[in-house]
């Protein structure tokens, strides 16, 4: 459980860290250019509060200034988020290989599907029903996790191309922001509220872009180890789903046998009573016949459920083989592509 929790933390999108009242340059070190000395959230909020309290500024001008400060605050939040993501990617390069090895070891420790399906029925039918319900809940949870990891893997496959496109765009945007900051038109002038707001906005944008570039670089560097971790995680969950499915199927078989036995017993007793009750007691004869008929229908329903379960298992097995075949072909195509590069 601890290993899976660690995996979830590695794949989870990092939460936007609360901006502390420390210089923003301490949040991350930009890999392109000098370290960025961006504004802090406290500085921006204090400046905005001063604007709000200044009766000498017209309401229309304040509205424009509010928009600029709101954009600056949003950029600072994105900068903190990018810094947090970069840190997670950086950590994954040292943590993911060990976690992946632990997951692969757990796969080897799992019982075979045959052993997972070797279950013993509890003596109490109610206990059997509860155990079946618990195993079905476990299977549902595992299937949900597997679907999530599979979806994450599909999204991750698109990221290399997205990163390659985004990096030059972000570099151009960063150069543009720095160019505007270096412009004489934006020289420090505390007497101009608009100029102060513009500088806050550009400095916040500069920090956001520098942190984004750092995040993208760390994401690129960690792609291989994170992909290996995802594959190990998916393999473990796939095996766990296989075992849980076998366990559920075994308990369902036991439950069906138990219910079938009860239905057969009820049918036999109803048939016996139908023979014993006086023929002139039409109501009793009809009731016995109805009970016998219901017992027969119950047996038929159970048999139909077993056929449906078998068909479902057959489809699942074929889907798994198809997925494995697809992955194999994809790896072969990727190998050929890399060979020609």
């Amino acid at each position: 459980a601890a290993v899976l929790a660690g995996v979830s933390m590695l794949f989870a999108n990092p939460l936007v860290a609360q901006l502390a009242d420390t210089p923003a340059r301490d949040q991350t070190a930009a890999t392109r250019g000098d370290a960025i000395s961006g504004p802090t959230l406290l500085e921006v909020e204090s400046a905005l509060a001063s604007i709000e309290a200044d009766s000498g500024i017209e309401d229309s001008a304040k509205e424009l200034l509010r928009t600029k400060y709101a954009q600056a605050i949003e950029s600072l939040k994105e900068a903190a988020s990018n810094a947090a993501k970069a840190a997670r990617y950086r950590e994954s390069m040292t943590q993911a290989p060990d976690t992946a090895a632990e997951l692969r070891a757990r796969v080897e420790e799992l019982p075979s599907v045959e052993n997972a399906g070797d279950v013993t029925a509890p003596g109490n039918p109610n206990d059997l029903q509860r155990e079946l319900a618990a195993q079905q809940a476990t299977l549902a949870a595992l299937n949900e996790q597997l679907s999530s990891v599979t979806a994450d893997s599909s999204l991750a496959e698109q990221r290399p191309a997205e990163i390659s496109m985004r990096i030059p765009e972000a570099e151009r945007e960063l150069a543009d922001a720095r160019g505007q900051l270096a412009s004489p038109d934006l020289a420090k002038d505390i007497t101009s509220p608009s100029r102060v707001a513009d500088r806050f906005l550009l400095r916040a944008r500069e920090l956001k872009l520098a942190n984004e570039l750092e995040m993208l670089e760390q994401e690129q560097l960690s792609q291989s180890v994170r992909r290996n971790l995802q594959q190990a995680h998916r393999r473990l969950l796939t095996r766990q789903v296989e075992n849980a499915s076998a366990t559920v199927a075994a308990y369902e078989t036991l439950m069906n046998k138990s219910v079938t036995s009860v239905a057969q017993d009820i049918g036999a007793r109803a048939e016996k009573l139908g023979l014993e009750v006086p023929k002139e007691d039409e109501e009793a004869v009809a009731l016995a016949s109805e009970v016998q008929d219901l017992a027969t229908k119950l047996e038929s329903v159970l048999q139909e459920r077993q056929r449906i379960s078998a068909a479902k298992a057959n489809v699942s097995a074929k889907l798994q083989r198809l997925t494995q075949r697809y992955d194999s072909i994809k790896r072969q195509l990727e190998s050929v592509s890399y060979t020609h590069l």
Side-chain angles (χ1 to χ4, degrees), residues 81-293:
S81 176
N82 289 335
K85 290 178 182 178
R88 305 289 278 192
Y89 290 136
R90 195 178 299 111
E91 290 175 3
S92 71
M93 285 187 279
T94 57
Q95 296 178 1
D98 291 340
T99 305
E102 292 181 37
L103 294 177
R104 285 190 287 269
R106 288 189 59 185
V107 171
E108 298 301 321
E109 295 171 358
L110 290 174
S112 66
V113 175
E114 291 74 16
N115 288 338
D118 185 12
V119 300
T120 302
N124 189 328
N126 291 333
D127 292 338
L128 176 58
Q129 178 62 48
R130 282 192 290 268
E131 185 61 29
L132 174 58
Q135 294 297 333
Q136 289 172 331
T138 298
L139 176 58
L142 288 170
N143 271 317
E144 185 176 350
Q145 291 181 56
L146 180 57
S147 297
S148 177
V149 170
T150 302
D152 288 344
S153 298
S154 299
L155 291 174
E157 291 178 358
Q158 304 171 17
R159 285 297 291 163
E162 293 174 355
I163 293 172
S164 297
M165 293 177 60
R166 177 55 188 158
I167 286 179
E169 292 178 352
E171 288 177 333
R172 287 192 295 270
E173 293 172 14
L174 178 59
D176 180 64
R178 286 174 170 169
Q180 292 183 61
L181 279 170
S183 171
D185 294 337
L186 279 179
K188 292 182 179 180
D189 182 359
I190 61 175
T191 64
S192 170
S194 179
R195 186 168 296 179
V196 170
D198 287 338
R199 285 191 62 82
F200 270 132
L201 176 56
L202 285 169
R203 289 173 63 205
R205 186 177 299 164
E206 179 189 26
L207 178 63
K208 179 193 75 171
L209 291 167
N211 285 8
E212 181 184 3
L213 286 166
E214 169 69 5
M215 180 268 292
L216 292 173
E217 180 177 335
Q218 295 301 323
E219 186 177 1
Q220 278 186 323
L221 292 173
S222 63
Q223 278 176 355
S224 177
V225 295
R226 288 185 294 106
R227 185 184 300 112
N228 290 338
L229 178 57
Q230 282 182 325
Q231 290 173 348
H233 193 193
R234 185 167 55 182
R235 176 56 181 159
L236 174 61
L237 286 171
T238 299
R239 285 287 295 107
Q240 288 177 324
V241 166
E242 291 172 352
N243 282 6
S245 298
T247 301
V248 167
Y251 275 113
E252 285 179 341
T253 298
L254 292 175
M255 177 60 71
N256 289 341
K257 287 181 178 179
S258 176
V259 176
T260 299
S261 177
V262 172
Q264 290 174 342
D265 180 61
I266 292 174
R269 291 168 61 187
E271 183 180 10
K272 182 180 179 181
L273 289 173
L275 295 173
E276 293 178 352
V277 296
K279 297 299 182 181
E280 59 272 14
D281 190 344
E282 296 180 357
E283 183 178 355
V285 171
L287 182 59
S289 177
E290 183 179 352
V291 170
Q292 187 176 358
D293 184 55

